[in-house]
Amino acid sequence: MAPPGRAREPSVEPSTEADEFIQNVSVYYQQRGTNFDPEPRLGNRRVDLYRLFKAVVERGGYDAVSAEKLLWRKLGQEIGLGSTSLASLAFQLKSTYYKNLAAYEISTVHGKVPPPREILEDISARGGDLLTRTLENFRPPGTSQGQPANGEDSELGLGEGPNTPSQVTGEVEEAITGGRSIRAALQPAYPEVATLQKPKSTGPVPLRPVLTPGNNPSLFKERVRAARDNWTRKRGEQLKSDGVMSPGTGFPGPNIYIRCLLGLKSGIQREQDFALFHLVKISYERGDRFKFEIFPALADALISKALEVAAMFFDVQWTVSYDANTMNTSLDVLNGLEGTPDLLDRIQACTRLQVVLDMHSEDFRRCLTKITEACLVLRNLVLLDKNAEFLAAIHSARDMIVIVLNLPRTPLVVEMQHYVLEIAEHLTARLALSSEDPLYVSLVGQLESQDRGKIILALRALARISLFVKGTDHQHSVPSSILKRLCHMILLDDEDLSLACADFLHRYLAVEKNVKSLVKSVSVHSLVAQLVRQLLHGAQVVMPNPTTQAMTAPRGAETSTPIDVPREIFDQLMAIEEPERSAMWLHCVLVEDPNYEIPQVEIWKAYTDRFPPSLVGDRNLPASDFIKHVSIIFSGAAAHAVDLPNGGQRYVIRGIRWRSSPTDLEGRVLHRCLWWNEPSVECGKHLAEMEEIYDHVLDGHLQVPKVASGRYDTTIYPDRQYKCQWAGCRRFWPDGTNRAHHMAAHIKVHLSDITRAEVERARVEERASQSSSRAEDQAPRESLIVVPVDERGQPIGLPFAVLELLKQLARQLPKLDQPDGHESWIEIAFALVKHRLLEIMGQSNVMRDSINELMAAIAAGERASRQIRQVD
């Protein structure tokens, strides 16, 4: 199943021509029989193949671009792929074009037949001779005349004969060694002679890699065979199969992925062991590039291997059938088309074999180890989102998880069950499970386990059910005993376990039916009281430095957040190149103030949000240069690292603050028009002078006519009605006034309010600046509660999860029927903890906003409950 649609990235330009181009190229490579990736990625950016193709063709094609030095780097910068790691960018961009567009270019642009895929797509992008490359004249890099080509440039880069990581390392080392020996050979033997003779100009010296068993095993294998045959001849023995090629020799063979797939499906023990050994290694080293959709049968083969574990504990051999006529003929046949809804009943009907924990054969242990390796490979590969989507669509994968989770409780299968629970965590987010689904029942059953790891993994899998599936409900039934157990475990001094329980309960209580089950199973007021206690998990109580507290605390709400510049000022800034543009922007939005500091991340984010790469490309300053630029622009500003009580650091720039109003490029403070064109829709236009705002309101909004002299016409027109819409003002409402001079006089009142507010704000800031030296004597010595936060200063971990769970309860409890008595569920749950919540809110700046939202939800629930009681 394809992932949900995503917004196009800045490096991709949407157009009808690009879509038609991708469609044509896709059809071409489908007819050619090769893979085509319509959305390749370089790092975290998508490559626009249409722009890349046009840019390369304009420069003469792949061969011409490859022949010119550093041209691939320039192309990458032109199409918006960034300016860092240019060498890696050039090679990756060249490889992307080589794999996806080179053959198409030869056919459509040059009108020639492209080389076969064996010497084009199946090898890496080296050289620039595509137009003249044939099977007769092409020899893969790393081979010489008389040396067998071992396919070291295969796309997948691994194989028994082809490249391995050690082989690539050997090539690099030998190339370096060879380079040193050549430089040593070029040194003159007699320096005094060398100084008398004029050195001859020499051309480039070709570097040839030294052949070793590591970088060319096939050559040395042939040498060993030749030496063995020579030794046999000397002894006078008859050579076996002299002149006849032995079966299976003389060919490089398939790549490692195909070899592993065929080995798993062969049923041969030695081949399966080989396949699983290499797949485990590949899944750890290259799992981020290995996709099931390229080798779809590999997922089925791994699932079939994992299903073999059932035969080791039960008298059953599970098989997967995709034939509707045979899948219901036997209890040991799984439905591969729609899943097996009665799988749990079938497992219960199986007879359990007697397996002694410490007494089993070597073959039993070996088979169990290989099955565990198959589950490990699936677990590693499913970490890739595309692999998770692919595996979620395979019904036999869900059946395999159910079978493994319902194995007998024995330490022999604990590791395997942990792997399948991690697989389930990534699959359930893409599945819509009902309460009767065997997978859901099996996951809920793991919550009764005594294994802490199983409980945490099962809770994560349950909390993610249908997370990426739209239009699904979450009315899943959970036994009352398990709800009680979860409410008890959330109170333990185990952050991972408590966090998993809080996340599950938050998702579970999103449905009113589940809230009813909770209040019937546990004591709500006791649960809420313990949850409030968990708000301080990992918190530290510190005594703040009053000077630091006065410095970092903003003096007014208008300076607590970054401001934006008007559209007309932004257009003027866009016409200026860096670094002058950032300097002008900084002067417009920031001002020096020794009593303030701003986080570096906040300034950098405001800069990139105002000038995103989608508008300016890669012309923005790098982050490090931008921060230095701020300190240069404002002489009184300097970067500092502030130590936090929890052991971390916060990087700030001291000596500056955000302006309350932006300025234009000439330094004049801009005033904002607060006229509402529609209800709650503000004009927002910025003007430098009060007279300009006055004319803007009368002429633009009220449309007061003017006489020939340019003055406003104060004549009374009965058909004109003026109403004030300045910042919610209700003057002359609802009938309005037809006297334009009355309306003009009223507008001047609003403009004078702006002037007085700015003057008063300046006085307050001046007084605060003068009294900062006395802040230590005047500031109260109150303790502060510091909880773990992320880089944005938001609470994370268990306190954040518990706070979200409390808000979920506050929203859902008022929806329940009133209990017997005078108090509602919301009053029963939160009546005794509101004072504690207020204390935490007063002592924790980080949690203040979230607790304020919680208190607002509690107050709204109490009002709703009182209204219901009054009606009754």
Side-chain angles (χ1 to χ4, degrees):
M1 183 177 69
R6 299 177 301 180
R8 288 183 175 265
E9 299 180 7
S11 60
V12 179
E13 297 180 357
S15 66
T16 305
E17 294 81 359
D19 296 338
E20 294 178 355
F21 172 78
I22 294 298
Q23 182 66 25
N24 295 335
V25 177
S26 179
V27 172
Y28 172 83
Y29 277 99
Q30 185 177 4
Q31 295 174 354
R32 182 173 170 83
T34 56
N35 294 324
F36 170 67
D37 186 1
E39 297 181 354
R41 302 183 72 87
L42 295 187
N44 60 351
R45 292 178 178 267
R46 233 185 67 194
V47 180
D48 190 341
L49 293 181
Y50 179 60
R51 290 181 60 191
L52 178 61
F53 182 78
K54 289 198 306 181
V56 173
V57 171
E58 288 174 358
R59 290 166 174 79
Y62 174 85
D63 288 354
V65 175
S66 299
E68 184 174 345
K69 189 176 182 181
L70 303 181
L71 189 51
W72 284 109
R73 297 188 184 184
K74 298 178 182 177
L75 286 178
Q77 292 177 310
E78 288 181 7
I79 64 177
L81 294 179
S83 58
T84 59
S85 303
L86 294 179
S88 175
L89 170 67
F91 178 75
Q92 295 178 15
L93 185 62
K94 179 179 179 181
S95 300
T96 300
Y97 188 92
Y98 182 86
K99 297 291 183 184
N100 297 286
L101 296 173
Y104 183 77
E105 175 201 322
I106 296 173
S107 298
T108 58
V109 178
H110 303 286
K112 296 183 180 181
V113 178
R117 59 176 295 179
E118 291 80 5
I119 60 174
L120 186 58
E121 287 90 349
D122 289 351
I123 63 175
S124 61
R126 296 184 184 179
D129 57 346
L130 297 187
L131 294 177
T132 59
R133 182 181 297 181
T134 63
L135 288 172
E136 290 75 16
N137 64 13
F138 177 73
R139 185 168 298 278
T143 61
S144 58
Q145 189 69 20
Q147 175 186 342
N150 57 6
E152 67 174 357
D153 284 331
S154 67
E155 178 183 357
L156 298 170
L158 291 172
E160 192 174 19
N163 254 0
T164 61
S166 61
Q167 177 179 342
V168 176
T169 306
E171 291 180 3
V172 176
E173 292 176 354
E174 293 301 328
I176 295 174
T177 306
R180 292 174 179 172
S181 63
I182 290 174
R183 288 194 298 271
L186 294 178
Q187 297 295 329
Y190 301 96
E192 63 278 3
V193 177
T195 58
L196 298 177
Q197 298 179 356
K198 183 178 180 179
K200 298 181 180 180
S201 59
T202 60
V205 179
L207 300 179
R208 297 183 179 88
V210 178
L211 301 179
T212 65
N215 61 28
N216 201 327
S218 59
L219 176 62
F220 283 86
K221 186 177 181 180
E222 180 65 21
R223 291 180 180 178
V224 171
R225 187 193 64 78
R228 187 184 299 109
D229 293 346
N230 188 25
W231 181 74
T232 304
R233 289 192 187 94
K234 289 182 180 179
R235 294 182 56 186
E237 298 181 1
Q238 181 92 21
L239 290 177
K240 297 181 181 180
S241 306
D242 191 16
V244 179
M245 183 179 294
S246 302
T249 62
F251 302 97
N255 60 62
I256 191 63
Y257 299 108
I258 301 297
R259 173 73 183 277
C260 292
L261 173 59
L262 298 177
L264 283 176
K265 299 175 65 176
S266 67
I268 302 174
Q269 173 185 336
R270 184 177 179 183
E271 290 294 328
Q272 289 186 342
D273 294 349
F274 171 86
L276 290 171
F277 172 80
H278 284 279
L279 284 175
V280 170
K281 183 178 180 181
I282 293 170
S283 65
Y284 274 112
E285 296 178 353
R286 304 188 64 183
D288 57 334
R289 301 182 181 179
F290 187 17
K291 300 178 182 178
F292 280 139
E293 60 187 12
I294 302 178
F295 304 96
L298 185 58
D300 294 326
L302 290 170
I303 292 172
S304 299
K305 184 65 179 178
L307 289 175
E308 295 179 5
V309 70
M312 305 177 70
F313 297 92
F314 297 99
D315 61 341
V316 63
Q317 183 67 47
W318 297 107
T319 58
V320 181
S321 174
Y322 297 92
D323 186 358
N325 299 324
T326 61
M327 61 180 57
N328 296 323
T329 58
S330 178
L331 292 178
D332 58 355
V333 178
L334 302 177
N335 188 339
L337 297 177
E338 300 177 353
T340 311
D342 59 342
L343 183 56
L344 292 177
D345 296 334
R346 296 189 185 188
I347 295 175
Q348 293 294 332
C350 297
T351 303
R352 180 176 175 179
L353 302 178
Q354 294 296 328
V355 179
V356 183
L357 179 60
D358 297 327
M359 298 179 62
H360 45 266
S361 63
E362 183 179 354
D363 290 340
F364 181 92
R365 178 179 291 275
R366 184 195 60 80
C367 292
L368 191 61
T369 301
K370 296 304 174 184
I371 295 172
T372 305
E373 289 180 356
C375 296
L376 174 60
V377 173
L378 287 172
R379 174 260 184 192
N380 290 343
L381 296 181
V382 84
L383 298 177
L384 191 65
D385 288 341
K386 290 189 175 181
N387 286 342
E389 294 172 2
F390 184 91
L391 204 62
I394 301 178
H395 292 280
S396 57
R398 299 160 60 176
D399 293 341
M400 180 270 294
I401 297 174
V402 174
I403 291 172
V404 174
L405 293 181
N406 286 276
L407 291 173
R409 293 186 178 180
T410 170
L412 298 174
V413 297
V414 170
E415 181 181 1
M416 186 188 311
Q417 290 178 335
H418 278 239
Y419 291 151
V420 298
L421 282 171
E422 291 188 62
I423 297 172
E425 179 183 351
H426 291 82
L427 298 190
T428 53
R430 298 163 174 85
L431 299 175
L433 303 179
S434 64
S435 298
E436 294 77 22
D437 192 283
L439 178 56
Y440 178 80
V441 176
S442 300
L443 290 174
V444 173
Q446 298 300 312
L447 301 181
E448 298 179 349
S449 172
Q450 299 300 320
D451 189 334
R452 170 182 174 274
K454 287 184 180 180
I455 296 174
I456 294 176
L457 293 173
L459 285 171
R460 291 175 180 173
L462 289 169
R464 292 169 60 90
I465 290 177
S466 65
L467 189 62
F468 300 152
V469 181
K470 296 181 180 179
T472 57
D473 57 7
H474 312 286
Q475 296 186 8
H476 299 119
S477 62
V478 177
S480 176
S481 58
I482 293 181
L483 284 178
K484 291 181 180 179
R485 192 179 191 206
L486 293 179
C487 293
H488 292 161
M489 287 190 297
I490 201 174
L491 308 179
L492 297 176
D493 190 15
D494 187 332
E495 184 173 4
D496 292 336
L497 183 59
S498 300
L499 183 59
C501 293
D503 289 339
F504 170 76
L505 289 175
H506 178 267
R507 188 85 190 280
Y508 176 76
L509 296 178
V511 179
E512 181 180 349
K513 177 182 177 181
N514 297 339
V515 182
K516 294 180 180 179
S517 301
L518 179 70
V519 298
K520 293 179 181 179
S521 303
V522 300
S523 174
V524 181
H525 69 277
S526 298
L527 174 63
V528 171
Q530 296 300 328
L531 289 177
V532 172
R533 182 178 63 85
Q534 290 285 37
L535 289 176
L536 302 180
H537 179 85
Q540 298 179 358
V541 179
V542 298
M543 300 298 294
N545 186 343
T547 304
T548 304
Q549 184 180 11
M551 178 180 296
T552 58
R555 289 192 294 263
E558 67 278 3
T559 60
S560 60
T561 57
I563 63 173
D564 201 357
V565 295
R567 182 66 189 182
E568 54 270 22
I569 303 299
F570 173 76
D571 294 337
Q572 298 176 21
L573 291 172
M574 288 296 295
I576 304 174
E577 293 295 331
E578 290 289 354
E580 290 78 13
R581 181 180 63 203
S582 60
M584 299 298 294
W585 176 78
L586 289 171
H587 279 299
C588 290
V589 298
L590 293 172
V591 64
E592 290 191 21
D593 192 329
N595 298 321
Y596 274 75
E597 64 184 24
I598 302 178
Q600 297 180 13
V601 175
E602 182 176 311
I603 303 179
W604 171 250
K605 185 176 184 303
Y607 172 69
T608 54
D609 288 346
R610 181 67 277 185
F611 305 101
S614 59
L615 293 178
V616 300
D618 57 350
R619 295 184 297 164
N620 275 346
L621 293 177
S624 57
D625 295 343
F626 176 77
I627 297 302
K628 296 178 181 177
H629 199 49
V630 176
S631 301
I632 296 174
I633 296 300
F634 301 100
S635 59
H640 291 273
V642 181
D643 295 330
L644 299 177
N646 57 6
Q649 286 186 329
R650 186 166 64 100
Y651 299 94
V652 300
I653 296 182
R654 288 181 180 173
I656 56 175
R657 62 174 174 84
W658 297 106
R659 291 181 179 271
S660 57
S661 298
T663 66
D664 60 6
L665 300 186
E666 298 177 2
R668 297 180 301 174
V669 177
L670 299 179
H671 307 286
R672 187 175 184 177
C673 176
L674 304 180
W675 192 271
W676 287 3
N677 296 321
E678 298 177 7
S680 301
V681 179
E682 187 177 278
C683 170
K685 186 177 180 64
H686 286 78
L687 297 169
E689 302 295 338
M690 289 297 175
E691 292 78 6
E692 295 177 355
I693 297 182
Y694 178 80
D695 293 336
H696 167 70
V697 173
L698 294 183
D699 191 17
H701 294 300
L702 296 175
Q703 297 180 355
V704 178
K706 292 183 178 181
V707 296
S709 61
R711 300 175 61 89
Y712 290 103
D713 187 4
T714 57
T715 304
I716 300 176
Y717 295 96
D719 57 338
R720 289 183 175 272
Q721 298 295 330
Y722 303 104
K723 300 177 183 179
C724 182
Q725 297 177 214
W726 183 275
C729 177
R730 309 298 292 178
R731 181 68 172 171
F732 304 121
W733 282 71
D735 298 328
T737 179
N738 55 7
R739 299 178 183 272
H741 62 283
H742 289 177
M743 191 67 198
H746 177 69
I747 295 299
K748 291 181 179 180
V749 174
H750 289 303
L751 300 184
S752 62
D753 290 342
I754 295 179
T755 305
R756 285 195 300 269
E758 291 180 351
V759 172
E760 183 63 22
R761 186 186 302 114
R763 292 177 179 175
V764 171
E765 292 176 354
E766 183 179 0
R767 288 196 300 267
S769 176
Q770 295 174 354
S771 61
S772 61
S773 59
R774 300 189 301 271
E776 184 172 0
D777 298 331
Q778 298 175 359
R781 299 287 291 177
E782 296 181 356
S783 61
L784 294 180
I785 297 176
V786 181
V787 297
V789 296
D790 58 8
E791 62 276 3
R792 297 175 302 173
Q794 299 298 320
I796 59 175
L798 185 58
F800 173 76
V802 170
L803 194 54
E804 293 298 316
L805 178 56
L806 287 171
K807 288 194 286 187
Q808 186 76 283
L809 282 171
R811 289 190 294 264
Q812 296 293 341
L813 286 177
K815 300 179 183 179
L816 303 181
D817 296 334
Q818 299 294 329
D820 297 336
H822 299 285
E823 292 183 325
S824 62
W825 284 113
I826 190 72
E827 294 170 338
I828 293 175
F830 291 95
L832 301 179
V833 297
K834 289 193 294 184
H835 68 286
R836 182 54 180 159
L837 290 173
L838 294 174
E839 291 178 0
I840 298 175
M841 183 173 65
Q843 294 177 325
S844 176
N845 296 330
V846 175
M847 305 179 68
R848 180 174 300 161
D849 294 338
S850 298
I851 295 180
N852 190 26
E853 295 177 4
L854 173 60
M855 297 299 294
I858 295 173
E862 291 176 345
R863 287 195 300 269
S865 301
R866 286 194 295 268
Q867 292 175 0
I868 293 176
R869 285 199 298 267
Q870 291 175 0
V871 172
D872 295 340

